[in-house]
Amino acid sequence: MSVPSKPWDSELVAKWLEGRIEAAARDQATADRRGYGAEDDYDKAAAEEWVCRSLRTTARESEQAAFALRIKQLLDQEDYRITGIHDDRRVERHVRATLRKIAKMTKANEGFENKLRYQ
């Protein structure tokens, strides 16, 4: 890991994850109301919610290196058990993409201050 320009703020990361969980839940509800044509949107939101929930506890309790290790452990998993999804392969692709995005943010230690709903 490179030397960060600012210190790791585990509370900021945890708050960012909480915000993403709430946004993903709203996105799932919206996609569910739209029906069959929005199954991909639903699966994408479900994947993001699962990732953020899986990382939330680690974010509060650990330093940057431990958080990055947890992301790596999740990336190394073979499959992800998420209920209510429509397509397992699509969800796995979205989970891995979300994990890679958060891994980049963690390595650079930036982006967690962005609280916009749509990212």
Side-chain angles (χ1 to χ4, degrees):
M1 292 197 121
S2 62
V3 178
S5 59
K6 59 184 175 185
W8 179 253
D9 186 355
S10 59
E11 273 305 308
L12 178 66
V13 174
K15 287 179 185 176
W16 183 86
L17 290 169
E18 288 292 335
R20 296 311 308 153
I21 290 169
E22 292 170 12
R26 286 190 299 266
D27 291 347
Q28 286 178 69
T30 301
D32 199 31
R33 284 192 299 272
R34 288 189 359 234
Y36 181 77
E39 286 181 351
D40 185 50
D41 293 339
Y42 182 91
D43 287 349
K44 184 175 182 178
E48 183 178 14
E49 182 181 10
W50 184 87
V51 166
C52 291
R53 284 189 189 281
S54 298
L55 293 172
R56 179 175 46 187
T57 304
T58 307
R60 286 197 193 287
E61 299 172 351
S62 63
E63 293 298 316
Q64 186 174 7
F67 188 69
L69 178 64
R70 178 65 180 138
I71 293 170
K72 185 176 179 346
Q73 289 171 345
L74 289 173
L75 277 168
D76 290 342
Q77 267 185 231
E78 290 294 318
D79 64 337
Y80 305 97
R81 302 277 181 211
I82 305 172
T83 58
I85 57 173
H86 297 97
D87 185 338
D88 290 335
R89 289 190 343 218
R90 179 172 51 203
V91 167
E92 182 177 331
R93 189 173 59 241
H94 290 311
V95 165
R96 292 185 186 285
T98 303
L99 285 167
R100 284 190 299 271
K101 171 187 155 188
I102 296 173
K104 286 180 186 177
M105 292 170 61
T106 301
K107 186 175 181 179
N109 193 17
E110 52 187 28
F112 294 109
E113 59 279 342
N114 182 1
K115 302 283 199 234
L116 298 176
R117 178 172 176 200
Y118 298 104
Q119 295 189 7

